[in-house]
Amino acid sequence: MNAQLSDFLRSRRARLSPQDVGLAGYGRRRVPGLRREEVAQLAGVSTDYYIRLEQGRGRQVSDAVLDAVSRALRLDPTEHAYLHDLARPHRATGRGRQPIRRSVRHLLESMRDTPAIVVDHRMVIVTANALGVAVFGLTDDLRSRDRARQFFLDPKSRAFFPDWAADAESVAAELRLQAARRPDDQRLTALIGELCIKSAEFRTLWADHKVREKTQGRKRINHPTVGELVFTFERLALADDDEQTLIVYTVEPGSPTAERLAVLASWTAAHDAGAEAEWRKDNDTAAH
């Protein structure tokens, strides 16, 4: 965590110039961005104190100092929270993933015309409604539900997500945020390590130290059966569960996506009905 804190502070310094923060730029600079003493001046702390903080040697740093450094570096709210997580990481509660409540399952099942999924903090799809399964091509193979690995390690994801480059930045930024919140999560650490080793794109994005938590936005996919689908998504917290979130994908009524989604929904319903009929037939035969 100390190394991540050091790298993050240096990366945020590097993106600012003295002119950005109202300082005069004196002398030639060997590296871009603000000097440490300039950040210390803006934050109202001693240069030695800031250097120790940036080197990960600042013990028991106060909220006031972190807030001052955040203002000095022009951090946005997500980066501000990330700085606090890095400087004073909290430890996991040990509760682990909570089972999906029956009420959440009923909610998913009631959304027959809207794709919806539940994901955990490692970007694994825990469960989905029927249309969510159809849209994202989920199967019994757990690899189809491991969104981060599939996104960076499966070449087909570049065709499935037309905005792959922008989406990749969001995925890496979200994982960095989760890693700071859960420093003791060994599976999350292993996921990030694997992606750094196997994906040059992820390795580059990880080195940028961007953090972002996307709670809503636009998502475009190129579905192999019905073609392009354009969604607006909302990411919703589940009560008493800080590891899993519900993501709902809505469409503009009367749009081409709405028409294509209706076709996909009808195929899904027909497939489900056929599967249920086959199941009943097999059970009736077994009973006799």
Side-chain angles (χ1 to χ4, degrees), residues 40-70:
Q41 176 188 340
L42 291 167
V45 299
S46 70
T47 299
D48 179 65
Y49 186 92
Y50 177 76
I51 289 174
R52 284 189 282 115
L53 176 63
E54 189 172 291
Q55 291 177 342
R57 297 187 291 116
R59 297 182 179 276
Q60 302 298 324
V61 58
S62 68
D63 285 343
V65 169
L66 292 175
D67 293 345
V69 170
S70 177

Side-chain angles (χ1 to χ4, degrees), residues 5 41 67 76 84 106-107 110 128 130 143 146 165 182 184 211 220 223 232 237 274-275 283 285:
L5 175 62
Q41 176 188 340
D67 293 345
D76 64 29
H84 278 259
H106 288 168
L107 176 62
S110 70
R143 289 175 295 184
D146 194 337
R182 297 171 172 84
D184 293 334
V211 290
R220 246 187 356 131
H223 195 275
T232 298
N283 278 269
T285 302

Side-chain angles (χ1 to χ4, degrees), residues 115-153:
I117 61 177
V118 174
V119 298
D120 68 12
H121 63 279
R122 304 183 193 101
M123 297 191 177
V124 174
I125 298 176
V126 180
T127 189
N129 65 3
L131 202 49
V133 169
V135 166
F136 290 100
L138 306 181
T139 69
D140 292 335
D141 186 342
L142 294 180
R143 289 175 295 184
S144 72
R145 299 169 181 266
D146 194 337
R147 301 179 80 198
R149 283 188 173 90
Q150 187 181 55
F151 188 88
F152 282 101
L153 304 182

Side-chain angles (χ1 to χ4, degrees), residues 9 125 137 213-214 281:
L9 289 174
I125 298 176
E213 188 169 34
K214 293 199 71 172
K281 177 182 176 181

Side-chain angles (χ1 to χ4, degrees), residues 6-266:
S6 299
D7 291 344
F8 178 67
L9 289 174
R10 282 196 293 267
S11 71
R12 300 308 92 175
R13 273 199 300 119
R15 70 179 180 178
L16 294 173
S17 69
Q19 292 74 24
D20 291 332
V21 295
L23 295 177
Y26 295 111
R28 185 177 180 181
R29 292 172 184 259
R30 291 178 297 176
V31 295
L34 297 177
R35 297 187 175 110
R36 289 171 172 171
E37 56 267 27
E38 291 170 333
V39 176
Q41 176 188 340
L42 291 167
V45 299
S46 70
T47 299
D48 179 65
Y49 186 92
Y50 177 76
I51 289 174
R52 284 189 282 115
L53 176 63
E54 189 172 291
Q55 291 177 342
R57 297 187 291 116
R59 297 182 179 276
Q60 302 298 324
V61 58
S62 68
D63 285 343
V65 169
L66 292 175
D67 293 345
V69 170
S70 177
R71 289 192 296 270
L73 293 174
R74 303 296 194 264
L75 302 186
D76 64 29
T78 303
E79 292 171 327
H80 173 83
Y82 179 70
L83 175 62
H84 278 259
D85 285 336
L86 289 178
R88 288 202 305 273
H90 67 274
R91 299 303 167 189
T93 61
R95 295 172 59 195
R97 179 191 290 174
Q98 300 301 299
I100 302 296
R101 295 192 301 276
R102 181 179 299 179
S103 60
V104 175
R105 293 192 182 278
H106 288 168
L107 176 62
L108 287 171
E109 292 168 1
S110 70
M111 293 187 285
R112 299 183 182 277
D113 302 321
T114 303
I117 61 177
V118 174
V119 298
D120 68 12
H121 63 279
R122 304 183 193 101
M123 297 191 177
V124 174
I125 298 176
V126 180
T127 189
N129 65 3
L131 202 49
V133 169
V135 166
F136 290 100
L138 306 181
T139 69
D140 292 335
D141 186 342
L142 294 180
R143 289 175 295 184
S144 72
R145 299 169 181 266
D146 194 337
R147 301 179 80 198
R149 283 188 173 90
Q150 187 181 55
F151 188 88
F152 282 101
L153 304 182
D154 185 350
K156 293 192 292 292
S157 70
R158 297 172 188 268
F160 190 77
F161 296 104
D163 304 315
W164 192 92
D167 289 344
E169 185 175 300
S170 295
V171 172
E174 170 73 15
L175 284 176
R176 181 170 281 284
L177 194 66
Q178 295 298 337
R181 290 175 177 172
R182 297 171 172 84
D184 293 334
D185 189 327
Q186 296 181 2
R187 290 174 60 188
L188 180 58
T189 300
L191 165 64
I192 292 167
E194 180 183 346
L195 294 178
C196 283
I197 292 171
K198 295 182 178 179
S199 170
E201 291 92 343
F202 181 84
R203 195 160 55 245
T204 298
L205 291 168
W206 190 253
D208 285 341
H209 292 273
K210 291 181 180 178
V211 290
R212 184 179 308 147
E213 188 169 34
K214 293 199 71 172
T215 56
Q216 57 81 33
R218 182 174 180 268
K219 173 68 70 175
R220 246 187 356 131
I221 70 171
N222 183 24
H223 195 275
T225 303
V226 296
E228 184 183 62
L229 299 173
V230 181
F231 297 105
T232 298
F233 72 87
E234 294 285 342
R235 187 170 182 172
L236 310 172
L238 297 177
D240 299 323
D241 191 335
D242 63 352
E243 295 200 354
Q244 299 172 149
T245 54
L246 171 67
I247 306 178
V248 179
Y249 298 86
T250 59
V251 300
E252 190 70 26
S255 65
T257 293
E259 296 173 2
R260 293 166 187 157
L261 197 61
V263 171
L264 190 59
S266 66

Side-chain angles (χ1 to χ4, degrees), residues 279-288:
W279 180 86
R280 290 185 183 279
K281 177 182 176 181
D282 290 343
N283 278 269
D284 289 344
T285 302
H288 290 85

